[in-house]
Amino acid sequence: MKELSRIAEAVQASTTMAIDALFKQMKADGVDVIGFGAGEPDFSTPDEIKAVGISAIDNNITRYTPAAGTVELRKAVCERMKADCGVEYKPNQVVATSGAKHAVYLALRALVNPGDEVILPAPYWVSYIELIKIMGGVPVVVTATEAEHFKLTAEKLAAAITPKTKAIILNNPSNPTGMMYNEAELRAIADVCVKNDIYVVCDEIYYGLVYDGQKFTSFPSLSPEVKDLTILINGVSKSYAMTGWRIGYACANDRIAKVMANYVSHSTGSACAISQKASAFALTAPQDKIEEMRKAFEERRNYIVERMNSIPGVSCIKPEGAFYVMMNLEQLIGKTIQGVEITNDDVFADAFLKKGLVAVVPGSGFGAPNFVRWSYATSMENIKEGLDRLEKFLQG
């Protein structure tokens, strides 16, 4: 047989899948395990949003829509981005997608030629690096340390730029760290991007989940020049607890948006019509339920950070957004716990699941060795029990 695509074969499966598969198998076998790997809210989609989806089915809104999405949804996106982020787009500059990951994929499709370099700050979401590879692009990983609050500096960005640099992926607030860039930090990064004519794929999917009364700054709102270089990625999955509805969206200049829409028309076709109808409602309806969820996440964050930092051998810094916390394992490396020598984060995660009955995600898959990610998109009861089990596990 002839060889398969070399680009396709170079794409790696998620490094977190082994732990996830073991967790699910243990749960199916009736073992009392607790999972902190979920990248989705544990809340149900608000009832009024579900009602719109049901109504869409009843009213036969079940046909193809324009490839870029319905005009209703794209207008709703424009209204929400203007109200929340202070950035104005026209409906023809919006492309609705089958989830925000699909929007990132399309953005890179529109920008990257084989051999182009894409700067990727680490820690990064696991899919970013593989999506760059899928395009034939070259990921240039630039690590931001915990001491830097896991945030890329303008100086590090500038040092990573070469004549082959095409774009940077910026995730704010971040998965997996939960850290958020402030306006001054974003302006410094933006200045480098404008000076060097670098596109920015800015994933702001967690922008509605920000804590401590902090102000969120949307990257394309900084200036017209920055906006023109930016493909803004967002969606309804996180803030509205609509992960399974699979609606994301990208906002970009006319030229880029057209290229992305053309690609949709020849690949997936339009996103689900029913989901688009419900999402348009979610974006334009009163946002009270979203604020209730945000407050619950903030309460959970406060508990998990305080409790984790009280446990000898581990630590974390306080995330500013999203619903993740990165636990530092450096004090545990080389030690033997429950009969297992902890040589790295993957070994820790495996041992913690098998012997502590708690599933967390190894940091290696995020470009963050010797850390593990906990998601607090779960009940306070689970969080308390999970941390109790962590203490017990570490005590041997």
Side-chain angles (χ1 to χ4, degrees):
M1 295 176 67
K2 293 184 177 179
E3 67 173 346
L4 301 179
S5 161
R6 287 188 290 273
I7 290 177
E9 288 199 309
V11 175
Q12 299 296 311
S14 170
T15 57
T16 65
M17 292 305 291
I19 289 289
D20 185 61
L22 180 57
F23 164 70
K24 289 176 179 175
Q25 184 60 55
M26 291 172 71
K27 199 169 184 67
D29 291 342
V31 180
D32 179 25
V33 290
I34 302 177
F36 291 89
E40 62 179 344
D42 57 313
F43 299 102
S44 298
T45 303
D47 289 342
E48 57 270 29
I49 297 175
K50 291 190 287 187
V52 173
I54 294 167
S55 176
I57 296 171
D58 290 339
N59 289 288
N60 297 311
I61 301 175
T62 55
R63 303 184 185 279
Y64 295 135
T65 77
T70 63
V71 173
E72 178 189 32
L73 175 57
R74 286 182 281 145
K75 283 183 176 179
V77 168
C78 293
E79 291 173 14
R80 181 52 50 203
M81 291 299 94
K82 183 177 180 180
D84 289 355
C85 302
V87 57
E88 294 193 37
Y89 289 99
K90 298 175 291 185
N92 69 303
Q93 295 176 317
V94 177
V95 180
T97 58
S98 300
K101 184 188 291 192
H102 186 214
V104 176
Y105 173 88
L106 292 170
L108 293 172
R109 269 287 175 215
L111 298 178
V112 177
N113 289 312
D116 284 347
E117 293 177 353
V118 180
I119 294 173
L120 182 60
Y124 48 75
W125 180 44
V126 292
S127 290
Y128 291 145
I129 194 164
E130 299 304 328
L131 287 170
I132 295 168
K133 293 176 185 177
I134 286 171
M135 309 306 155
V138 179
V140 177
V141 176
V142 181
T143 299
T145 65
E146 186 181 46
E148 296 169 314
H149 279 213
F150 299 121
K151 292 190 281 190
L152 178 71
T153 64
E155 292 74 21
K156 280 191 172 181
L157 171 59
I161 294 171
T162 75
K164 293 183 178 180
T165 304
K166 175 65 72 70
I168 175 175
I169 298 180
L170 195 65
N171 183 202
N172 187 43
S174 164
N175 175 7
T177 70
M179 302 312 293
M180 183 175 73
Y181 292 85
N182 62 37
E183 183 176 347
E185 292 163 339
L186 290 174
R187 286 195 180 279
I189 290 171
D191 287 345
V192 175
C193 294
V194 171
K195 179 181 178 181
N196 292 276
D197 192 30
I198 296 171
Y199 291 108
V200 182
V201 179
C202 194
D203 186 347
E204 297 181 352
I205 189 70
Y206 294 98
Y207 87 101
L209 300 175
V210 173
Y211 312 120
D212 301 320
Q214 292 196 60
K215 176 192 173 187
F216 172 78
T217 300
S218 181
F219 194 76
S221 73
L222 296 175
S223 74
E225 295 79 14
V226 174
K227 179 184 172 187
D228 199 45
L229 287 171
T230 302
I231 302 178
L232 176 63
I233 308 296
N234 220 310
V236 299
S237 60
K238 311 301 183 180
S239 295
Y240 300 91
M242 295 177 68
T243 51
W245 297 76
R246 307 312 302 137
I247 295 293
Y249 51 87
C251 305
N253 67 42
D254 297 56
R255 181 185 177 198
I256 294 173
K258 183 179 179 181
V259 169
M260 293 176 70
N262 287 344
Y263 202 91
V264 172
S265 72
H266 291 294
S267 54
T268 59
S270 63
C272 172
I274 300 154
S275 297
Q276 287 191 61
K277 189 70 176 177
S279 299
F281 173 81
L283 291 165
T284 54
Q287 305 291 292
D288 306 20
K289 294 285 180 66
I290 287 70
E291 176 60 11
E292 288 178 20
M293 288 188 278
R294 190 203 65 79
K295 286 180 178 178
F297 284 130
E298 185 167 13
E299 180 183 1
R300 296 171 185 179
R301 179 209 60 165
N302 292 343
Y303 178 85
I304 197 171
V305 169
E306 182 178 358
R307 178 83 186 279
M308 192 173 285
N309 282 318
S310 73
I311 299 174
V314 297
S315 64
C316 67
I317 59 175
K318 181 182 280 189
E320 299 160 320
F323 38 66
Y324 309 106
V325 63
M326 293 290 276
M327 188 173 78
N328 189 322
L329 304 176
E330 290 178 357
Q331 295 179 59
L332 304 180
I333 301 303
K335 293 187 176 182
T336 298
I337 302 173
Q338 304 277 1
V340 178
E341 183 183 0
I342 306 301
T343 55
N344 56 46
D345 52 283
D346 292 286
V347 171
F348 173 88
D350 183 72
F352 191 26
L353 177 56
K354 290 177 179 176
K355 298 178 181 293
L357 303 183
V358 175
V360 293
V361 184
S364 56
F366 304 113
N370 297 340
F371 288 85
V372 292
R373 189 193 77 176
W374 293 61
S375 167
Y376 48 91
T378 187
S379 69
M380 187 67 85
E381 180 184 7
N382 279 347
I383 292 170
K384 291 178 178 179
E385 176 62 22
L387 289 165
D388 286 344
R389 293 184 185 188
L390 174 65
E391 278 195 284
K392 184 178 179 181
F393 173 75
L394 294 178
Q395 289 167 1

